[in-house]
Structure formats: structure tokens, C-alpha cells
Amino acid sequence: MAGVLLSEAEKTFILHGVQSDLRNDGRSKQDYRPMELELDIVTHANGSARVRLANTDILVGVKTEIDVPKPEKPDEGKIEFFVDCSANATPEFEGKGGEDLATEISNFLSTSFNSGLSFDLKSLCILKEIQCWKLYVDILILECGGNLFDAVSLAVKAALHNTMVPRVETMAMDGGNVDLQLSGDPYDCWRLDIKNVPCLVTLTKIGEHLIVDPTAEEENCSMASLVLAVTEDGRINSLSKTSVGSFHPHTLTEGLKVGTEVGIRLNKALKEALEKEEKRLQADKPERSGFLK
Amino acid sequence: MSNIRIRLASERVNPSLTFGEEGAPQLFTPGETITENQRVMSGHGTYMDEDNKEVLRASVAGTVERVNQLICVRPIKCRYMGEIGDVVVGRITEVQQKRWKVDTNSRLDSVLLISSVNLPGGELRRRSVEDEQMMRKYLQEGDLVSAEVQSVFSDGSLSLHTRSLKYGKLSQGLLVKVSPSLILRRKNHFHNLLCGASIILGNNGLIWIYPTSPEDESGVGGFTQNLEQVIDKEDRERIARLRNCVLALSASKFMLFDTSIQYAYEESSNYSLKELLAPECMLDVAFRTRHRLQSYRDA
């Protein structure tokens, strides 16, 4: 994680703050910082979203491509995550510096999307054993202000919601080859079902307490974090522990309970925001804010 | 536990206080023409167009300042440019032979020589080899110090000193980073605010907010850190509120000094601590602060 340097006294101050449930910015243990969402800001992607969580800035683009299904899963499509840590976020990401973090995030996302209960890969199938859709989810980390996992997952879910997959019109078998014809109308598309797509909730352990949405400074004070992938109805899809520290069984069970609750709230908030943004985009010429405004 | 809210980019609040107002300072962006008058002199943040020698353009984003014929552009966001006598807050990044390297938000790391700090045990003590070996005991990587700029080297890097009891290692509190151009230069940069917390406004844009200690100033300097002390919740609330107020003012590009911060603190009392993180509330606090300062000035 992006290293910020802190003195012992600052760490003590943060630790005591968490103990008295009043963090440095006035939040309690289970509060999120203000978030901002914008959909459809990359014109050449099938779906895109940008999420800004205080100082963490994430841009996600989704591209679709036609591919051959895996032989062991002939009736399923594919989804692939690629994380790019921009060196603009922190100088440590320069060169290969961000690679470990990038693999960690993309691996965790793949495991959370792997189950048929979270994302229906079968809907991406075009012709069994022969052709399927492949989704490339490109995640760009533009700024690092703590709590990357949560912000990335929100942006991914929003971008998948925004994704338009072109409709395939006709299929003609020509010997062993398949000929696909895409619909002539570029707006003739279908949307992905993201109802069960999980949001990630990071619970950072500071002292004996668990907090959500840690700032970069708070992450520095913590020895271990728990990342949960929680769906809208409160199911935990996958779970992982990051960094070197360990959890007491009691803290872990408590963390699962808190994380589920927070996850449900987070999913709900995202759903509301997506509906509102969708309404705005349907207007005649929706304005785009992007980065420069 | 409050509800999570995700706002949309289209609902973004413009934090500017003078937006659309008359008499608002004009902002120049890099490359913009400032003047086509030939008789002006090009100062910091400006350049003469290469093709057309008569046109003066801005090289940074900021406001124009004019002294007779000399035209400068003062950048809104910049690295700290040190001046002798400035109070700065910095973080130790490296311990070297006879010196510490300090990050002061300038282009180059500053140096703090062991000969320009007050070592424990008498002011006029000779610095021995043992002192050099003990350097990490006094200040280690990550520690924060308040210091004064002693001199500026030719490459712009700074040499600091802490030879006064008010400077030294900082103990418990929190650090806020704002743009150095927002700190108003004052006689005094150490303030015990009326609200019950203290603040060090570093000229380099680093602001240290800490609980007012009951014993007099004498305890602040030196190399002690009290890690056992637990700051009570009221003090903590004040510190957090001050932090949010400072950030609210800085988001609206409002100059920071003791009065503006004190007013912002008082004007923020309508809002809870958590509400102060929302952009609308931040703008409202900055707006009320500006209004109050203006009415005070007019009176």
C-alpha cells in the first residue's frame, strides 16, 4: 500500500481516537467518507464508471470481445480483470512498483466473481462450445487515499451496470466456422444483470477495533485488514485477509457481522446512485463532468 | 451509524466563494496572455512568447500581481518556496551524518543540522561524537518537527533550526496539508485558539493541530513525546472540528490565519462533525466565515 510516514505520536493519536469511536476526521468507526460517482465517461468503452472516495480516484472501463469458451465450461462467458496502478497515484507505483497490489486486487475480484451466484457468466454465452462474450474490466487507480478495495469494487459494479453488450443477430454455420452478424443498430444492446454482484468491504483492525473506510494514515496504523465481498442481500461471497497481522476468532466473527451490515448499506447506496445517474443519462444531452470540472 | 451516501458528479458543488461575483480575482491559466504591452517586465510565473516578443503569458495557474512594471503570477497550488524566518512543520525522512533530512513540502528536502538543534541537557553544550550516534534517539524517520528557516541555499533547499523552546518535536495531534499559498504570513504562527485547541500554521502549508497543554509553553519544545497521555473526547472533537474547518476554508481557497480559523470554528457549530465532510456544509462554513470577516472589516 502507498506508504505514508507517521510518527509514533500520530499513530497513538489515531489509535486512541478509534478506541473512543471518534476518528481524526470526526467519523465514527462505521462511517464512509463522501463518495462521488459518474457513469459513461469513456466514450470508446462499452461501459465505464469513475468513483472518487475522498482522495481515492478510480476509473473503470469495460470492453467486450468475442472469444471461444473454455472447454471445461462450454456454456459460460469470460470476465477478466486488469488493474493498473498509475504512477500518478504515488511514486511507488512507478515501473513495476504497483504490480503486487494490482495482482492482489484483480485476483480477489476474480474469486468474488467466480461463483455463479454472484455473476451469471452463462448469460455471456453466444453459442455453446463455440463462441461467447469476453468482458475485459480495466481498472485504473489514479489516486490513492486509502480504502482501495471498496472504491474499486464500487467502480467495477457501476461500470458493469453501465455496460452495453451488442446484440448478435444472426448466426450462420459455414462448415466448421461460425459467422456472427452483429445488429446494425449500435444502440441495439442488452445490459448485464448486476443484482448479485458483490461490493467489497474492508475492515481494518486498529488496536482491537474494526473500522471501515480507512484513510491512508489509518491503514498505516493497522496490522491486518479483512476484505469481504458482500452482495445486496447480505451474502458473503469471498473473504481475504491482507497484510501481516492476525485476527482473534472473536474479532473475526464480529467483523463478519459488521461487514455484512455495512455491505448491505453500501450496495443499497450504490443502487440508489446508479438509478439516479441512469435517469440523468437518459436525458437528451447529459452533461459530463469528468476530471476537469 | 449514518447512512452511506454516494453523490453524483453532476451534483458537484463549486467550492468557489466568489464565483460569478464582480471583483472576483481573475485567474490565469498557463499559456494565457496577460498583456500585450511591451513595457512590462516578466516576473515569476510568466514568460515572453517566443514568436511574438510583445506578448506576456502565464506559465502557472494563478492570480496576477503587479509591482510597477513587474508582473508576476502567483500560483494557487505550488510547492513551498522557503524564506528566512518562516515557521515550518516538517517530517524527518532520513537520518544522516550530523544532519536530518526533513520533508517540508518544498521541491527539495530541507536539512536540519545537529548543530542547529537544542540538545537535552543545557543549551550551550558541545556536540560530541555520542550525540551523533544518538541522533536517531532524538528524532527518527517519520517524526514531525516544527522549526524555523535559518537559511536558503542557492538551489532553493532550506536549512532549518530549532534553537528556541517553542520549536522541536511534535507530540500527539494531527497534521493537515493545504497549499502553502493559503497561509497568511503573520508575526506569530503558534496559536492557542479560544475554542481550546492549539494550532501551528506552518508557512509551508502543513498545519499541526494539537490539544492545548495545561502547563505553559515550556513543555512544547525539545524531544519529548508523551505517548501514554490519552486525550479526552472533548479535546478530540475540537481537534477534529478544527481540522474539518481548515479543510473547508482551504477547499474554498480562503486565507488561513488565527481569526479566520476561529470564526470558521464558531460558524461550523450548526453542523455535526460528520456533516462537515460534505461539500455543501464546507462551502457554507467558508461562506459564513467570509461574511463575518467582511462585516468585521467594514465596521
Side-chain angles (χ1 to χ4, degrees), chain A residues 10 30 35-36 265, chain B residues 1-2 7 12 91 274:
Chain A
E10 280 174 285
Q30 286 163 25
M35 285 178 259
E36 194 184 88
R265 279 164 52 210
Chain B
M1 193 198 296
S2 60
R7 40 185 84 240
R12 204 178 289 168
R91 196 185 290 281
K274 285 175 208 166

Side-chain angles (χ1 to χ4, degrees), chain B residues 38-52:
Chain B
Q38 284 182 349
R39 296 222 307 254
V40 295
M41 275 156 53
S42 160
H44 285 297
T46 62
Y47 66 97
M48 288 289 185
D49 197 311
E50 277 188 13
D51 305 325
N52 187 355

Side-chain angles (χ1 to χ4, degrees), chain A residues 128-181:
Chain A
K128 201 175 164 186
E129 283 176 37
I130 300 168
Q131 304 228 283
C132 69
W133 285 109
K134 184 171 186 180
L135 299 181
Y136 289 97
V137 182
D138 292 308
I139 301 155
L140 190 58
I141 297 172
L142 295 166
E143 219 180 316
C144 243
N147 203 11
L148 275 181
F149 279 86
D150 298 23
V152 164
S153 78
L154 285 174
V156 166
K157 191 171 175 178
L160 286 175
H161 171 84
N162 185 236
T163 302
M164 305 277 202
V165 187
R167 226 178 271 281
V168 178
E169 232 173 29
T170 47
M171 274 172 277
M173 287 287 255
D174 180 17
N177 296 332
V178 185
D179 226 3
L180 292 181
Q181 187 118 47

